[in-house]
């Protein structure tokens, strides 16, 4: 397994009392996977992602990348953050933004230039090399961040709700971009989102999380064809079934955290029925 | 193009008007201390060109440049160190606020104790006065480095010197520039004051000599020169700043347009 | 440890370093006397009526100069702001008039007023005036054009527009200007006293220096620093108090 999360637990030391954000998470990604992580809002998705990226130390459990324990940001990982406006260096041109991590790796100039040009072309920004990021629209800025991650040639690409702050049409384009990049370049992607449709549309597998304190509620295989597009896939009846199932699970998760577990059990039943 | 010309015209109009008012208000001045502007302007070239430019104006400017450079380097370096750690910041903040609140010219007598009355004293005085606004602004700027950008750097393994160069200094640079701008006017003041205290050459020294010798038009021409110097340095600073921080000004314009 | 405790430990550290440094031989005690001697000199100063007189003189020059500068700055700023022609004229120029260093006026002040308090006042007013004026102009520029048009369309006269539109908009900027001016006024008051010899803390420092009373000199410098800190804190406090009602306590414009 390429990336493994085992018994991960994260407790924040709150002002009054400790807050348990992530209780016990175990799952894994194989090389070449495209997995979506979806859960109710406020379920500790970002916490989980930061722990996986080595930006946050877990309270318990471990994250393994190629069987090596992650203790700090590992070299084989790239992260795309939700806040595109704040994750790009405003004082660097688009090209320099993409190139900086490569330069930092000590990669020779020629290879760097090739990778940067390739990555920018792949995200459809071949003619924006010299612009500053803030001169671009939000969606284009996020493309730059994706190009930077792709050029870095990571083993795993972690994406933290990357499209939550762009408008719906741009979002659809960017989703297709991710599918294309994944199929063409064979990168392994873990995509965190709170959008159920997005999770089902993008993923080969969808990991459904519970409310905080977070556990894995279900791992769902998405048995849709690999060739997906916004029009046919989204109107596919199987797509509708899957998204309804995920929706019911998330609703159940939400209810579980507020009401007793009896109600939740009913919702889980409902979720099962939907899939049959 | 016409817009640029209009703006230049408007910018020049006020000084022209002020000079005209000065010219006519003093045209028939009998006041010994306030000579006609005509007289001041006619003294100006003979006083400040040639010999004096080399023996007085240039040494002053060199001392200013040296002291200012030292202050910028020291202020930014210390600011990065202090700003990088919350604990260090909490310990040093009151001390730094205290030093900043001391009127810089009172440093002159102190530094004269250590450094005598030579060029070293003047350079140290200028550096010691200019360093505080730069230091404190750098601390502020370093403290305010964006969290997402910092995480981005960490996840791409950009640490140590590369992080300092590409993240910390760059993102603090608008604040550093603001501090440098404050420091520049302090530097000019200290350049003059340190020469008024003890010197054998320099702008401040010469102007005081004129005053003591009751060479009133000459003294006024010196005041005028200091004004022009302040103006020139501030224009120069602004040009360099708007070039170096074009990304910052551009980004601010975009943000303001969107909100 | 809390922030306050850490800050206090920093100040204590400074006092300790100054106490120890002369004994290490790194600096001569003639140039930097140990803390306890500076403290003793400070105690002597406090017991001396002359010190209080000097402090009073400095504060009077500071307060009077600041008051004149604030009133003049506000009036000039609002007049410029209310008259479109003047506004256009000053828009890009005013910041360039300020860099004329206040100390350039020292020889003139000496000629005109000698070592009297007016010398100090002249420098204080000149330097503080710009701080206020520039902030007021920023404030005036901040008036919402739509609000201004609305006011005009309801037939509000010039005075009413100043009273109900311009002034409330500019007030936070005015307060920032006053705060900055208060700090600058103190610096200039003490500078003028030091260089010209007008009565006050500055000239007392000059006397201490010329009579080689090094510990007293340090003690007096420390007093000027404390005075500066006090004025900064007080100005911030007043600003917060007066503007607590204002929906947007704005950050100052970095100029």
């Amino acid at each position: 397994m390429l990336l493994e999360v085992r018994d991960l637990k994260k407790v924040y030391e709150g002002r009054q009392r400790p807050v348990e954000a992530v209780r016990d998470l175990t799952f894994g990604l194989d090389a070449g996977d495209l997995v979506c992580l979806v859960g109710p809002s406020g379920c500790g998705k970002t916490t989980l992602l930061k722990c996986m990226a080595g930006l946050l130390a877990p309270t318990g459990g471990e994250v393994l990348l190629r069987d090596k324990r992650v203790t700090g940001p590992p070299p084989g990982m790239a992260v795309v953050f939700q806040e595109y406006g704040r994750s790009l260096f405003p004082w660097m041109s688009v090209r320099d933004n993409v190139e900086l991590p490569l330069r930092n790796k000590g990669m020779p100039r020629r290879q760097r230039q090739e990778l940067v040009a390739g990555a920018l072309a792949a995200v459809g920004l071949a003619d924006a090399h010299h612009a500053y990021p803030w001169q671009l629209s939000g969606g284009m800025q996020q493309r730059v961040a994706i190009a930077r991650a792709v050029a870095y040639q990571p083993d795993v690409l972690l994406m933290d709700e990357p499209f939550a702050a762009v408008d719906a049409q741009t979002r659809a384009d960017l989703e297709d971009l991710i599918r294309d990049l994944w199929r063409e370049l064979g990168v392994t992607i873990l995509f965190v989102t709170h959008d159920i449709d997005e999770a089902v549309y993008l993923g080969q597998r969808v990991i459904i999380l519970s409310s905080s304190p977070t556990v894995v509620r279900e791992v769902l295989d998405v048995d849709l064809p690999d060739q997906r597009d916004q029009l046919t896939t989204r109107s596919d009846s199987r797509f509708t079934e899957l998204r309804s199932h995920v929706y019911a699970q998330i609703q159940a998760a939400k209810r579980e955290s507020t009401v007793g577990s009896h109600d939740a059990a009913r919702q889980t039943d409902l979720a099962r029925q939907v899939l049959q | 193009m016409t817009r640029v010309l209009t703006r230049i015209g408007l910018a020049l109009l006020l000084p022209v008007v002020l000079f005209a008012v000065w010219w006519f208000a003093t045209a028939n001045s009998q006041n010994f201390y306030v000579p006609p502007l005509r007289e001041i302007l006619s003294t100006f070239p003979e006083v400040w060109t040639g010999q004096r430019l080399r023996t007085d104006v240039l040494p002053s400017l060199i001392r200013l440049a040296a002291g200012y450079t030292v202050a910028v380097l020291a202020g930014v370096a210390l600011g990065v160190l202090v700003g990088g750690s919350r604990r260090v910041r909490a310990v040093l903040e009151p001390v730094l606020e205290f030093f900043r609140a001391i009127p810089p010219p009172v440093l002159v007598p102190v530094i004269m104790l250590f450094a005598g009355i030579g060029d070293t004293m003047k350079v140290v005085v200028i550096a010691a006065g200019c360093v505080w606004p730069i230091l404190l602004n750098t601390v502020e700027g370093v403290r305010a480095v964006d969290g997402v950008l910092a995480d981005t750097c960490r996840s791409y393994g950009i640490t140590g010197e590369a992080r300092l160069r590409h993240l910390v200094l760059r993102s603090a640079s608008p604040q550093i520039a603001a501090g440098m701008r404050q420091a520049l006017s302090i530097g000019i003041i200290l350049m003059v004051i340190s020469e008024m205290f003890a010197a054998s050459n320099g702008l401040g020294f010469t102007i005081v000599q004129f005053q003591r010798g009751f060479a009133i038009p000459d003294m006024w021409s010196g005041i005028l020169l200091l004004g022009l110097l302040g103006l020139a340095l501030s224009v120069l600073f602004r040009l360099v700043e708007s070039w170096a921080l074009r990304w910052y000004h551009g980004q601010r314009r975009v943000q303001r347009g969107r909100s | 440890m809390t922030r306050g405790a850490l800050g206090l430990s920093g100040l204590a550290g400074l006092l300790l370093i100054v106490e120890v440094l002369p004994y290490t031989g790194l600096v001569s005690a003639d140039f930097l006397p140990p803390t306890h001697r500076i403290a003793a000199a400070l105690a002597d100063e406090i017991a001396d009526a002359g010190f209080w007189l000097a402090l009073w003189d400095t504060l009077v020059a500071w307060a009077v100069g600041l008051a004149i500068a604030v009133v003049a700055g506000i009036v000039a700023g609002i007049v410029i702001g209310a008259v479109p022609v003047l506004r256009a004229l000053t828009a890009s120029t005013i910041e360039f008039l300020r860099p004329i260093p206040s100390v350039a006026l020292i020889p003139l002040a000496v000629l005109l007023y000698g070592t009297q308090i007016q010398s100090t006042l002249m420098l204080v007013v000149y330097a503080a005036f710009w701080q206020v004026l520039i902030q007021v102009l920023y404030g005036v520029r901040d008036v919402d054009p739509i609000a201004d048009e609305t006011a005009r369309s309801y037939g509000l006269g010039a005075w009413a527009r100043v009273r109900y539109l311009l002034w409330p908009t500019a007030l936070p900027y005015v307060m920032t200007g006053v705060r900055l001016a208060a700090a600058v006024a103190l610096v200039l008051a003490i500078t003028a006293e030091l260089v010209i010899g007008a009565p006050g803390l500055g000239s007392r420092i000059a006397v201490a220096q010329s009579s080689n009373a090094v510990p007293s000199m340090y003690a007096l410098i420390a007093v000027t620093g404390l005075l500066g800190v006090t004025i900064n804190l007080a100005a911030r406090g007043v600003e917060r108090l007066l503007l607590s009602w204002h929906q947007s306590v704005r950050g100052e414009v970095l100029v």
Side-chain angles (χ1 to χ4, degrees), chain C residues 189-213:
Chain C
I190 289 169
T191 304
E193 293 159 4
L194 180 74
V195 180
I196 300 173
L201 284 176
S203 61
R204 211 171 161 81
I205 293 174
V207 170
Q209 182 225 358
S210 55
S211 59
N212 213 14

Side-chain angles (χ1 to χ4, degrees), chain B residues 1-10:
Chain B
M1 195 61 211
T2 23
R3 257 194 55 216
V4 174
L5 283 179
T6 325
R7 278 195 57 188
I8 291 174
L10 280 175

Side-chain angles (χ1 to χ4, degrees), chain B residues 7 9-15 17-18 31 33-34 86-87 89-95 97-110 112-114 137 174-175 178 181-182 185 188-190 192-193 196-197 207-208 211-212 214 216 219-220 222-223 226-228 230-231 234-235 238 248, chain C residues 1-4 6-12 14 27-28 30-32 85-86 88-90 92-108 110-112 138 186-188 190-191 194-195 202 205-206 209 212 214 217-218 221-229 232 236 252 254-255:
Chain B
R7 278 195 57 188
L10 280 175
L12 287 178
L13 200 55
L14 185 66
V17 168
L18 289 180
N31 188 331
Y33 295 130
V34 188
R86 186 179 308 204
R87 192 164 278 264
R89 218 160 53 219
V91 171
L92 288 185
E93 219 159 44
V95 176
E97 286 294 337
F98 172 70
F99 276 114
R100 175 162 68 172
I102 294 176
V106 307
L107 297 172
V108 178
V110 174
M112 272 167 69
L113 284 175
F114 291 94
N137 274 284
Q175 290 274 358
R181 195 156 45 200
Q182 289 170 27
S185 41
I188 298 173
I189 290 177
L190 288 176
V192 177
I193 298 254
M196 285 180 174
F197 254 85
I207 295 175
V208 170
Q211 174 236 315
R212 297 207 173 123
F214 289 95
I216 305 300
M219 180 196 85
W220 272 101
I223 294 176
L226 274 180
L228 290 176
L231 180 71
S234 136
V235 171
R238 235 155 234 271
Y248 175 71
Chain C
M1 260 208 299
T2 63
R3 261 182 92 74
L6 286 172
L8 280 181
S9 73
L11 287 173
L14 176 69
V27 293
S28 155
D30 293 339
F31 296 164
L32 178 65
V85 182
L86 290 178
L89 268 180
T90 51
S92 45
T93 314
I94 211 90
E95 281 179 30
F96 291 125
L97 288 180
R98 188 181 48 157
I100 298 170
S102 40
V103 289
L105 300 178
I106 286 179
L108 187 65
V110 172
L111 281 180
L112 293 177
Y138 278 123
L186 182 71
V187 170
L188 262 292
I190 289 169
T191 304
L194 180 74
V195 180
I205 293 174
Q209 182 225 358
N212 213 14
V214 178
M217 190 176 85
Y218 276 101
I221 290 174
V223 170
T224 64
L226 291 176
L227 204 56
V229 171
N232 285 346
R236 257 173 223 284
E252 69 201 62
L254 289 171
V255 286

Side-chain angles (χ1 to χ4, degrees), chain A residues 50 54-55 73-74 77-79 81 83 86-92 100-101 103-104 132 134 136 148-149 152, chain B residues 146-149 151-159 162 165-167 170-171 246-251 254 258:
Chain A
K50 283 196 169 175
L55 294 170
M77 223 184 256
V79 187
F81 293 95
E83 302 93 338
R86 289 164 57 199
S87 77
L88 297 171
F89 299 96
W91 45 85
M92 287 183 194
L100 181 65
R103 231 162 70 188
N104 195 57
Y132 282 113
W134 40 266
L136 308 176
R148 177 170 65 187
Y152 191 63
Chain B
D146 188 278
V148 176
L149 219 45
D151 274 350
T152 304
C153 273
R154 275 186 69 194
S155 72
Y156 283 117
I158 297 166
T159 52
R165 232 180 66 200
H166 296 297
L167 175 69
R170 292 308 294 270
S171 77
R246 58 195 182 284
W247 63 270
Y248 175 71
H249 297 299
Q251 190 187 25
V254 169
R258 273 183 200 153

Side-chain angles (χ1 to χ4, degrees), chain C residues 144-158:
Chain C
D144 190 343
I146 295 173
D148 193 43
E149 273 164 32
T150 313
R152 272 171 208 276
S153 72
Y154 280 107
L156 263 66

